[in-house]
């Protein structure tokens, strides 16, 4: 059968032969054995409803084995045999180009070069899934192939509920992931519901089909690292030999070494999984691979002496590096951590003094002991960080719940008031006030033709647009504009493409609208093929996350999720091709609500109208919320936007003198 024929058939008419898992695959860790006997039977019953009754006897045994071995039913037998990658948009069997664009993005998210655990449909973050199982993938692709531009596909945590009549202006797909009743939003609730096959964790962009590999976060990481050094280095201080120490190379964390190179420092990134570290080295995301800590010390000192800009992946535990550098008195300028501590008990963070292989056995056979070892390591980890910060190291939480889980483990990470953490989140200190409050966030695009020359042309278009905007930009955002222009001009040289021909660029609403309009005109003129627009949920408006994206909201509303919900609803009727809303993402299930979108530019006047309407709202919704929280930069930004846009009327806060409050209670 051809690729198109396989897509169109959906669930095969004939039961395919059972497959063996490839030995070289980077397997997802076994999930917690949390279901009762009756619940395990229910999980099998739920899985079998995708298939004809004649297959149930054979599949029930197989699915039970999967549940025992993996803690999940992935239906690996039904993984298609064709190569999984983003094809030219014209190669997909579809009645509408919008549907073909979504198919392209789904396959890009499952491309083994992009995905962390592709056999289990997990894109990044240890558990960020596109679908729960391969039957869902087959059905979704079939529905997209059949869809007209007057239908909408509704997807519940990976499950395609079906095609519903809608209209040309409606989104083609609406995705929800993990949207459970609030009182059932604890980690064990996710473990149980995911094992039952009724809910999933879509991370931030996996379940939205908008992940583009480590590049997806590398620009934000670069901005964060550059501005972290700007905060601590004196104006005339020699910046050579400065060190950035962190951990994690599996998913989005894989961007850290590349960002360090762009920022011009020595980056040391520890990763316990040898396959993950080797993969990033082979892809060119990290320069040097080291598995001996003595040699790491030697190589770091050499890099400092020679004023090198180099990134080093240490295959081992980050705690050993912090402690050894303390003993050797190697000064760490900035430090962070981007391990997946939103899933601390299932492979998101590995304890010291236990090997990677032994840890995976403990996760499966003795989860309580594994949890004890993780918490002991978190206390030890924090203690060593504290030793370094006393010497002047600037440490920030990179938002994957390091400080949150360390505090729960009893580590010394709390401020004197015992309410706040002693170290800031990077959003509190850097991205919030310097980017999000002004409306700058991670704008993304994917060239649907798959042609590198199309990406080159879009890079040039974006750079020219930003240069024109900067000439009339106020002083308050000149630094952001210059950083973004420098970024896009050097993007190709930094070789960040993995999978699809994609790019990320921090831009505000004005920049996004003008860049997208220029793209649409280039498509109309036949200069480039269609372009898919999107963004990371880690943005101005998309995410309500009290320990990350909205951690610089101080009016008491940081635990509310109105902004993210309004974002996805507002985008849906303003022209998005698909929209998504998730529970969980980056910092963990129950800790965040985040929404995203995708939009196809096809060169039409309708696309131009939609992009102007939707992109404007997508950003300014968040600036309005941040201004109401009394954030000075956001008040400046929304006032400026109201001056330019007569139809925009935002409720502004009246500021209160602090002295008025002191004697009231």
């Amino acid at each position: 059968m051809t690729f198109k024929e396989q897509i169109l058939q959906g669930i095969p008419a004939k039961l395919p032969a059972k497959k063996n898992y490839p030995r070289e695959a980077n397997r997802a860790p076994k999930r917690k054995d949390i279901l009762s006997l009756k619940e395990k039977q229910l999980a099998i019953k739920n899985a079998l409803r995708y298939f004809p009754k004649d297959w149930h006897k054979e599949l029930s045994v197989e699915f039970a084995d999967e549940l025992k071995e993996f803690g999940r039913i992935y239906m690996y037998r039904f993984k298609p045999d064709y190569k999984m990658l983003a094809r030219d948009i014209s190669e997909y069997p579809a009645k509408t180009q919008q549907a073909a664009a979504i198919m392209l993005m789904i396959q890009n998210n499952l491309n083994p070069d992009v995905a962390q655990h592709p056999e289990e449909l997990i894109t990044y973050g240890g558990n960020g899934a596109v679908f729960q199982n391969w039957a869902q993938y087959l059905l979704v692709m079939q529905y997209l192939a059949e869809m007209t531009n007057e239908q909408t596909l509704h997807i519940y945590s990976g499950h395609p509920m079906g095609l519903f009549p809608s209209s040309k202006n409606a989104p083609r797909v609406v995705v929800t992931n993990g949207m459970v009743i609030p009182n059932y939003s604890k980690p064990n609730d996710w473990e149980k519901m995911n094992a039952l096959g009724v809910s999933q964790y879509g991370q931030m962009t996996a379940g939205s089909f908008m992940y583009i590999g480590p590049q997806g976060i590398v620009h934000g990481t670069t901005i964060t690292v550059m501005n972290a050094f700007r905060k601590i280095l004196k104006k005339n201080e020699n910046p050579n030999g400065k060190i950035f120490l962190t951990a994690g190379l599996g998913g989005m964390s894989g961007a850290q070494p590349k960002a360090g190179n762009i920022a011009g420092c020595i980056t040391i990134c520890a990763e316990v999984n040898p396959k993950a570290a080797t993969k990033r080295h082979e892809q060119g995301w990290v320069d040097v691979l080291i598995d001996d800590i003595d040699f790491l010390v030697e190589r770091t000192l050499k890099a400092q002496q020679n004023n090198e800009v180099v990134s080093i992946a240490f295959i081992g535990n980050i705690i050993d590096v912090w402690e050894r550098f303390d003993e050797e008195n190697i000064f760490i300028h900035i430090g962070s951590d981007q391990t997946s501590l939103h899933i601390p008990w299932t492979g998101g963070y590995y304890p010291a003094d236990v090997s990677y292989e032994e840890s995976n056995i403990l996760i499966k056979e003795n989860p309580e002991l594994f949890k004890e070892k993780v918490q002991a390591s978190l206390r030890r980890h924090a203690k060593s960080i504290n030793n370094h910060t006393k010497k002047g190291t600037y440490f920030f939480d990179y938002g994957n719940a390091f400080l949150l889980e360390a505090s729960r483990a009893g580590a010394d990470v709390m401020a004197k008031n015992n309410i706040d953490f002693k170290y800031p989140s990077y959003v509190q200190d850097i991205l919030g006030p310097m980017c999000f409050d002004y409306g700058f966030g991670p704008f993304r695009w994917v060239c649907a033709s798959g042609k590198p020359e199309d990406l080159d042309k879009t890079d040039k278009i974006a750079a020219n647009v930003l240069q024109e905007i900067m000439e009339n930009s106020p002083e308050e955002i000149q630094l952001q504009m210059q950083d973004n222009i420098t970024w896009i001009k050097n993007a190709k040289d930094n070789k960040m493409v993995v999978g699809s021909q994609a790019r990320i660029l921090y831009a505000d609403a004005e920049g996004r609208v003008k860049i997208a309009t220029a793209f649409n005109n280039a498509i109309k003129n036949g200069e480039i093929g269609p372009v898919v627009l999107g963004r990371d949920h880690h943005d101005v408006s998309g995410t309500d996350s009290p320990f990350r994206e909205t951690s610089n909201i101080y009016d008491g509303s940081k635990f509310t999720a109105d902004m993210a919900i309004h974002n996805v609803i507002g985008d849906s009727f303003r022209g998005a091709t698909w929209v998504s809303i998730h529970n969980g993402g980056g910092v963990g299930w129950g800790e965040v609500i985040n929404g995203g979108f995708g939009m196809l530019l096809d060169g039409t006047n309708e696309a131009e109208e939609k992009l102007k309407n939707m992109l404007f709202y997508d950003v300014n919704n968040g600036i309005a919320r941040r201004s109401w929280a009394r954030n000075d930069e956001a008040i400046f930004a929304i006032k400026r936007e109201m001056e330019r846009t007569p139809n925009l009327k935002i409720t502004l806060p009246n500021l209160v003198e602090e002295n008025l409050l002191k004697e009231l209670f």
Side-chain angles (χ1 to χ4, degrees):
M1 294 177 73
T2 66
F3 169 70
K4 289 185 177 181
E5 288 170 340
Q6 288 185 72
I7 294 290
L8 288 164
Q9 76 168 342
I11 302 292
K14 182 181 177 183
L15 181 63
K18 185 178 179 181
K19 288 184 173 70
N20 293 317
Y21 272 73
R23 290 182 180 177
E24 70 281 2
N26 185 19
R27 300 279 290 276
K30 183 185 186 302
R31 305 305 180 189
K32 188 180 292 188
D33 184 5
I34 199 170
L35 300 182
S36 66
L37 174 61
K38 283 192 173 183
E39 287 168 337
K40 288 176 180 176
Q41 293 170 341
L42 179 59
I44 302 299
K45 188 176 178 182
N46 288 344
L48 291 174
R49 58 186 162 180
Y50 287 101
F51 307 103
K53 196 172 182 179
D54 293 348
W55 299 358
H56 285 188
K57 186 174 182 180
E58 181 175 348
L59 291 180
S60 62
V61 176
E62 184 176 322
F63 291 167
D65 288 341
E66 282 194 11
L67 192 58
K68 291 172 193 172
E69 185 176 357
F70 306 122
R72 297 292 186 271
I73 300 171
Y74 296 116
M75 306 180 186
Y76 186 67
R77 176 195 293 250
F78 293 92
K79 182 185 177 185
D81 294 324
Y82 52 73
K83 198 168 182 180
M84 193 66 66
L85 79 169
R87 293 159 168 80
D88 184 320
I89 193 169
S90 64
E91 295 184 35
Y92 292 94
K95 296 177 181 177
T96 168
Q97 199 174 50
Q98 291 184 336
I102 300 169
M103 296 164 86
L104 180 158
M105 295 301 293
I106 288 171
Q107 291 204 306
N108 186 62
N109 276 245
L110 294 172
N111 181 339
D113 290 338
V114 176
Q116 186 179 14
H117 304 301
E119 314 304 327
E120 293 88 4
L121 303 107
I122 291 169
T123 302
Y124 72 99
N127 63 346
V130 183
F131 301 106
Q132 295 183 65
N133 56 59
W134 286 104
Q136 291 178 348
Y137 166 84
L138 294 176
L139 284 172
V140 166
M141 295 295 278
Q142 182 186 40
Y143 276 130
L144 289 169
E146 296 172 351
M147 170 190 290
T148 71
N149 62 6
E150 293 187 341
Q151 289 176 304
T152 295
L153 174 62
H154 290 261
I155 301 177
Y156 290 23
S157 277
H159 170 69
M161 195 55 68
L163 291 171
F164 289 79
S166 56
S167 72
K168 291 180 180 179
N169 292 325
R172 296 282 67 81
V173 174
V174 175
V175 178
T176 55
N177 282 300
M179 298 306 292
V180 301
I181 305 303
N183 280 353
Y184 299 88
S185 201
K186 298 289 190 295
N188 275 349
D189 295 320
W190 168 72
E191 293 281 0
K192 181 171 286 192
M193 284 183 269
N194 195 215
L196 286 170
V198 297
S199 193
Q200 79 169 11
Y201 192 87
Q203 255 292 347
M204 301 197 84
T205 52
S208 302
F209 324 139
M210 193 45 71
Y211 187 69
I212 58 171
Q215 182 189 179
I217 197 174
V218 73
H219 190 193
T221 306
T222 301
I223 289 172
T224 300
V225 173
M226 284 194 307
N227 283 303
F229 281 121
R230 284 170 180 160
K231 284 179 73 71
I232 65 164
L233 294 176
K234 296 173 184 175
K235 209 163 190 182
N236 298 319
E237 188 174 343
N238 183 357
N240 293 328
K242 56 186 186 286
I243 292 177
F244 169 40
L245 175 61
T246 185
L249 284 171
M252 298 295 263
S253 55
Q256 295 178 106
K258 179 75 76 174
N261 282 0
I262 298 168
C265 65
I266 299 164
T267 304
I268 299 153
C269 192
E271 170 58 60
V272 295
N273 183 347
K275 286 183 178 178
T278 302
K279 180 179 179 179
R280 293 301 178 219
H281 184 245
E282 290 172 349
Q283 291 176 335
W285 284 81
V286 65
D287 302 324
V288 180
L289 209 56
I290 294 175
D291 61 4
D292 179 88
I293 197 155
D294 292 330
F295 183 53
L296 175 66
V297 170
E298 181 185 327
R299 184 67 182 85
T300 301
L301 292 172
K302 180 184 175 184
Q304 283 195 305
Q305 289 163 5
N306 296 333
N307 292 329
E308 285 184 73
V309 173
V310 64
S311 54
I312 302 169
F314 173 65
I315 302 175
N317 199 291
I318 183 61
I319 297 171
D320 295 329
V321 184
W322 280 104
E323 291 179 343
R324 182 63 182 276
F325 278 25
D326 188 19
E327 292 170 12
E328 300 286 343
N329 207 25
I330 296 174
F331 181 68
I332 299 165
H333 295 74
I334 64 172
S336 191
D337 188 273
Q338 209 177 5
T339 48
S340 297
L341 268 159
H342 60 283
I343 46 168
W345 325 128
T346 54
Y349 179 93
Y350 284 79
D353 298 332
V354 184
S355 73
Y356 176 67
E357 292 74 19
E358 289 171 327
S359 289
N360 284 329
I361 292 170
L362 282 180
I363 292 171
K364 182 178 180 179
E365 297 181 359
N366 196 340
E368 287 306 311
L369 178 59
F370 181 77
K371 181 177 180 179
E372 288 176 18
K373 288 186 173 293
V374 165
Q375 292 194 316
S377 287
L378 282 167
R379 292 191 292 271
R380 184 173 152 191
H381 193 162
K383 181 180 178 181
S384 188
I385 289 168
N386 291 340
N387 289 343
H388 282 274
T389 57
K390 288 172 186 173
K391 300 176 185 179
T393 296
Y394 171 62
F395 181 85
F396 58 91
D397 188 341
Y398 212 134
N400 279 359
F402 172 75
L403 291 177
L404 182 63
E405 286 303 329
S407 70
R408 289 169 176 169
D412 181 14
V413 294
M414 301 306 295
K416 289 181 180 179
N417 63 12
N418 210 32
I419 298 171
D420 302 314
F421 298 127
K422 67 164 67 174
Y423 302 115
S425 136
Y426 71 113
V427 174
Q428 276 178 291
D429 248 17
I430 298 168
L431 281 191
M434 297 185 73
C435 293
F436 293 166
D437 284 354
Y438 285 120
F440 286 87
F443 182 49
R444 291 180 179 176
W445 65 89
V446 176
C447 296
S449 67
K451 296 177 180 177
E453 55 266 36
D454 276 10
L455 185 59
D456 292 344
K457 290 174 184 175
T458 58
D459 283 348
K460 289 177 182 175
I461 290 170
N464 290 337
V465 169
L466 290 185
Q467 197 69 57
E468 290 175 9
I469 294 173
M470 185 176 176
E471 291 175 7
N472 295 308
S473 292
E475 184 181 346
E476 286 85 349
I477 61 171
Q478 285 286 309
L479 179 63
Q480 289 88 334
M481 293 299 301
Q482 188 55 63
D483 282 348
N484 295 325
I485 290 168
T486 302
W487 163 267
I488 196 64
K489 286 184 175 179
N490 295 321
K492 183 179 180 180
D493 292 340
N494 288 319
K495 298 177 182 177
M496 293 175 294
V497 171
V498 177
S500 60
Q501 294 296 314
R503 187 65 76 220
I504 189 166
L505 169 67
Y506 266 51
D508 61 4
E510 180 185 14
R512 298 183 207 202
V513 169
K514 288 183 176 178
I515 290 169
T517 302
F519 287 171
N520 201 54
N521 288 334
I523 297 164
K524 184 186 298 185
N525 296 333
E527 299 167 29
I528 58 174
V531 171
V532 176
L533 300 182
R535 57 162 169 75
D536 195 342
H537 297 198
H538 175 58
D539 197 6
V540 182
S541 295
T543 297
D544 283 297
S545 179
F547 299 110
R548 198 164 79 178
E549 282 77 9
T550 46
S551 59
N552 70 319
I553 300 291
Y554 302 108
D555 67 349
S557 71
K558 69 179 182 178
F559 293 99
T560 65
D562 300 89
M563 180 177 72
I565 299 297
H566 275 270
N567 184 261
V568 72
I569 294 171
D571 285 359
S572 71
F573 64 76
R574 286 179 171 88
T577 305
W578 72 97
V579 291
S580 58
I581 188 77
H582 303 177
N583 170 16
V587 295
W589 177 273
E591 304 285 358
V592 53
I593 299 294
N594 60 89
F597 77 89
M599 173 180 276
L600 177 69
L601 300 183
D602 57 8
T604 61
N605 293 335
E606 290 80 7
E608 181 173 341
E609 183 180 340
K610 287 178 179 180
L611 75 86
K612 288 178 177 177
N613 196 7
M614 199 219 77
L615 293 177
F616 179 88
Y617 172 76
D618 187 67
V619 174
N620 281 292
N621 168 47
I623 301 176
R625 185 268 176 97
R626 293 167 185 276
S627 73
W628 185 240
R630 295 184 289 269
N631 292 12
D632 291 339
E633 295 85 358
I635 292 172
F636 164 83
I638 206 67
K639 283 182 176 179
R640 179 170 176 251
E641 196 57 76
M642 282 194 285
E643 289 173 4
R644 295 187 297 183
T645 309
N647 283 345
L648 181 67
K649 305 290 182 185
I650 300 299
T651 309
L652 295 174
N654 292 296
L655 304 183
V656 178
E657 291 289 339
E658 291 294 324
N659 290 336
L660 272 177
L661 311 174
K662 290 182 179 178
E663 305 299 327
L664 293 178
F665 302 101

